[in-house]
Amino acid sequence: MKKVAKYLLSPFLKRFDNIHYGINENKSGIDNLLMSVKNMQDFFVTEKEKEQLALSHITDELVILKEQIETLKLTNKSLDTISSGVLELLESPVKGEDAERIFSLLNIISKKNSYNKIKPHVLFLIHNMNTWYSVANLFLELSQDPDLKVTIASIPRSFPGVEGYSGEEITSAALSKIGINHIRISSYSDKEISTILTTLSPDVIFRQSPWDHDIPPGFSANRINFAKLCYVPYYAVNIVKNISSGTDFDFQSNQDLHNNSWRIYCDTQYAYEKLCKNSLLRGVNARYFGHPKLDYIHTKMKETGDSEKKSGITNILWAPHHSVDQGWLSFGTFDKNYLDFLRYAEENNNVHIKLRPHPALFDFMRAKSDEIKSNVDYFLSKWASLNNTSMDYDYDYVASFDWSDILVTDGISFIVEYPLFHKPSIFIENDNHAEFNELGILAAKCNHIANDFASVLFFLDKFNDGSLEDKNNEIAELESIVLPNKGMVHQIIANDIKSNI
């Protein structure tokens, strides 16, 4: 308990030290400290009525601490005795569920303290540049505000099929490439992460996804909730009723990040209503203004306009998902058709196919068996040897949207995002995928739905001869739902943060 409690009280103790060193110059700091301890005492007394046994010791210690500060005001003596009183408080023998409850209370206290704050500090934790567009414009908007301090940090990750944590250097390089000044947190040690975050002492922390297992435990929702947590969904729109067929648990509304967040900026009105219904907090921390990523894509589409199709060449963007197993989303079809795509590229020089895999796809496939690993490596070797094929690992997939003439994908986000570019897309539908919600049904209708590779070829042929049916009506309906504040979503979210922080 001592380690965690010190971590949670660190902003308080740091400010305590500041008062100690500047006592002769700023005696008002003592009054502020006294008021804070009194507020802490009142808070704990209220909680004491709920959990008498668990909180009796800490309440008594706060009384002693208050009396010591009163004495200090009269004698102007050293604050060492008060510091030792705080340390005794941290040594209190509280265990089990009582300890977890007190940790939660200490989190609340740390959020209420505001000593010597010059400006609020907002920290963005970035582990996956492929979802950068969800927060990019919001980060830039907040960074331009002179009344805020905004920091961005690259951190390690662990995707399915990979042991341990890595990839921080890739994220850092991508941020540097686009001119984003950032700090690097390459460690996955709980102790070192705790030290760094305590030193940074952010008031607000943005995380990119609700999946705690994708990042080191030191960044988990329950470890960083000393700050006000914010979350913008990394995906464009939630289009399924439930991610997993093996449980009724709502992964999009009720994970630890959702229930520890100060603000969740929902992707659609539909998602907002689901979160209000299913989350532990019943949506009191949720807001809906639109999705910054979709807003950016729509704006980029208007800026670039319709790119001219190269004479005699069809640029195909192929984007397979990683969920090739049953039970978890199950949209992926790569294991069924990757050799078909290879054969098609080998036999057709009038196409260029750019393969943009889900970041976890190849590692996930390789982890299945030695045989599958060998087959995937063979495919990648052959793919790299062709003149009319390429790979796209860059975070900036919107650039590939602009480059391409048509998309072929098995989901998930791209069947929502790519139609907003007003270009045709082919959705290879896995019959076993997680059931669509009402938005998923609409998104699918914005694409040409194929059930196998033969139907993919059918739609490609119709595209090449100019007879492919347009989906303008369906896309217009989708836009009316997912783009409520065109061009302004990031500004509206930034204003909500600044006015409520």
Side-chain angles (χ1 to χ4, degrees):
M1 174 186 176
K2 178 182 177 182
K3 176 182 176 182
V4 178
K6 282 184 177 180
Y7 171 49
L8 296 173
L9 274 179
S10 58
F12 173 82
L13 294 175
K14 184 185 295 184
R15 292 160 186 145
F16 199 99
D17 288 340
N18 289 340
I19 295 172
H20 174 80
Y21 292 128
I23 189 169
N24 293 324
E25 291 76 23
N26 185 16
K27 292 185 174 59
S28 64
I30 302 174
D31 293 326
N32 291 336
L33 182 59
L34 176 61
M35 181 176 296
S36 173
V37 173
K38 182 179 184 303
N39 290 338
M40 291 167 66
Q41 178 187 352
D42 292 341
F43 183 83
F44 277 117
V45 167
T46 300
E47 292 296 331
K48 183 180 177 182
E49 295 175 0
K50 302 177 184 177
E51 297 186 28
Q52 180 73 29
L53 181 61
L55 297 172
S56 59
H57 181 79
I58 199 169
T59 304
D60 293 340
E61 291 295 333
L62 284 169
V63 171
I64 296 172
L65 186 57
K66 175 184 172 185
E67 292 173 352
Q68 290 175 330
I69 296 177
E70 290 281 11
T71 302
L72 174 64
K73 291 182 65 178
L74 297 176
T75 64
N76 195 28
K77 65 180 182 180
S78 170
L79 295 181
D80 289 343
T81 55
I82 300 177
S83 298
S84 63
V86 172
L87 292 177
E88 289 176 8
L89 176 64
L90 298 178
E91 297 284 0
S92 302
V94 185
K95 300 179 181 180
E97 294 181 0
D98 293 337
E100 292 183 7
R101 177 60 177 156
I102 291 177
F103 295 164
S104 178
L105 298 177
L106 292 174
N107 283 334
I108 295 172
I109 292 170
S110 67
K111 291 173 186 175
K112 288 178 178 289
N113 285 331
S114 58
Y115 308 106
N116 300 330
K117 276 287 185 183
I118 299 175
K119 57 179 66 175
H121 184 190
V122 182
L123 172 64
F124 286 78
L125 300 176
I126 305 298
H127 72 279
N128 183 6
M129 283 299 290
N130 288 284
T131 64
W132 167 243
Y133 287 128
S134 289
V135 297
N137 280 350
L138 179 57
F139 164 75
L140 296 173
E141 182 74 18
L142 292 171
S143 298
Q144 293 169 6
D145 193 313
D147 295 326
L148 296 176
K149 177 182 178 181
V150 181
T151 303
I152 191 166
S154 55
I155 65 173
R157 64 180 183 232
S158 179
F159 288 148
V162 177
E163 295 293 333
Y165 298 97
S166 61
E168 181 278 328
E169 70 283 357
I170 298 173
T171 300
S172 176
L175 289 170
S176 297
K177 183 179 178 180
I178 58 177
I180 302 294
N181 293 324
H182 62 284
I183 64 172
R184 299 183 60 181
I185 307 178
S186 57
S187 175
Y188 49 86
S189 159
D190 286 1
K191 181 179 179 181
E192 292 178 357
I193 292 171
S194 172
T195 299
I196 293 169
L197 293 182
T198 299
T199 302
L200 292 175
S201 190
D203 299 278
V204 176
I205 296 179
F206 272 87
R207 242 184 53 179
Q208 281 189 290
S209 85
W211 312 111
D212 277 348
H213 53 71
D214 280 355
I215 52 181
F219 298 113
S220 66
N222 289 323
R223 299 283 182 89
I224 63 173
N225 65 359
F226 62 87
K228 294 179 177 179
L229 303 187
C230 287
Y231 173 53
V232 176
Y234 66 94
Y235 49 82
V237 173
N238 177 27
I239 60 174
V240 297
K241 290 184 176 181
N242 205 351
I243 289 178
S244 175
S245 61
T247 177
D248 292 330
F249 183 80
D250 188 346
F251 290 95
Q252 304 289 33
S253 300
N254 213 17
Q255 294 194 64
D256 284 345
L257 183 72
H258 301 113
N259 294 323
N260 279 277
S261 285
W262 170 65
R263 283 288 191 273
I264 301 171
Y265 294 102
C266 298
D267 46 299
T268 60
Q269 181 69 28
Y270 177 90
Y272 173 75
E273 292 172 357
K274 291 286 287 184
L275 195 141
C276 289
K277 177 182 178 182
N278 295 337
S279 76
L280 181 66
L281 298 179
R282 294 297 186 264
V284 297
N285 55 350
R287 302 291 185 273
Y288 171 57
F289 307 118
H291 199 296
K293 179 198 287 189
L294 296 181
D295 202 47
Y296 172 81
I297 290 172
H298 181 263
T299 302
K300 200 70 176 176
M301 179 274 294
K302 292 195 298 182
E303 292 175 355
T304 58
D306 292 330
S307 301
E308 292 186 5
K309 185 172 179 286
K310 294 181 179 179
S311 177
I313 298 293
T314 300
N315 289 332
I316 302 172
L317 179 61
W318 172 31
H321 200 255
H322 77 288
S323 57
V324 296
D325 281 350
Q326 301 301 313
W328 183 260
L329 289 171
S330 301
F331 275 79
T333 61
F334 180 83
D335 57 334
K336 300 180 180 68
N337 57 35
Y338 68 103
L339 293 179
D340 292 323
F341 276 94
L342 177 61
R343 190 178 308 109
Y344 179 71
E346 290 174 333
E347 296 174 355
N348 292 272
N349 293 323
N350 62 334
V351 302
H352 184 110
I353 307 178
K354 180 183 288 188
L355 169 57
R356 183 182 178 85
H358 184 283
L361 174 62
F362 295 141
D363 288 329
F364 187 70
M365 290 288 293
R366 289 188 180 103
K368 286 177 168 295
S369 70
D370 290 340
E371 180 182 2
I372 292 176
K373 178 181 183 301
S374 177
N375 291 340
V376 169
D377 289 342
Y378 166 80
F379 163 81
L380 291 174
S381 176
K382 294 291 290 183
W383 192 263
S385 70
L386 300 178
N387 294 324
N388 62 333
T389 58
S390 58
M391 297 287 293
D392 177 21
Y393 289 112
D394 194 83
Y395 83 94
D396 188 9
Y397 61 84
V398 175
S400 290
F401 282 11
D402 186 37
W403 165 88
S404 63
D405 300 310
I406 190 169
L407 169 75
V408 182
T409 186
D410 49 23
I412 301 176
S413 291
F414 278 11
I415 70 171
V416 177
E417 297 178 34
Y418 193 86
L420 299 183
F421 241 70
H422 293 197
K423 293 182 179 183
S425 51
I426 302 170
F427 169 41
I428 310 174
E429 185 168 21
N430 186 337
D431 292 337
N432 299 312
H433 70 69
E435 184 180 359
F436 281 134
N437 59 28
E438 59 192 63
L439 292 175
I441 293 172
L442 174 58
K445 290 179 180 178
C446 294
N447 299 258
H448 301 275
I449 301 177
N451 301 115
D452 52 30
F453 193 73
S455 50
V456 171
L457 297 180
F458 170 78
F459 288 123
L460 287 175
D461 288 342
K462 292 184 76 65
F463 172 73
N464 286 322
D465 66 23
S467 63
L468 189 64
E469 175 189 6
D470 72 59
K471 297 285 185 176
N472 292 335
N473 291 336
E474 291 84 351
I475 293 172
E477 185 179 356
L478 179 66
E479 288 184 344
S480 70
I481 295 173
V482 302
L483 297 172
N485 295 295
K486 294 180 180 179
M488 300 186 298
V489 175
H490 62 288
Q491 296 171 346
I492 296 172
I493 293 177
N495 287 335
D496 178 66
I497 292 171
K498 289 184 289 186
S499 61
N500 290 285
I501 195 172

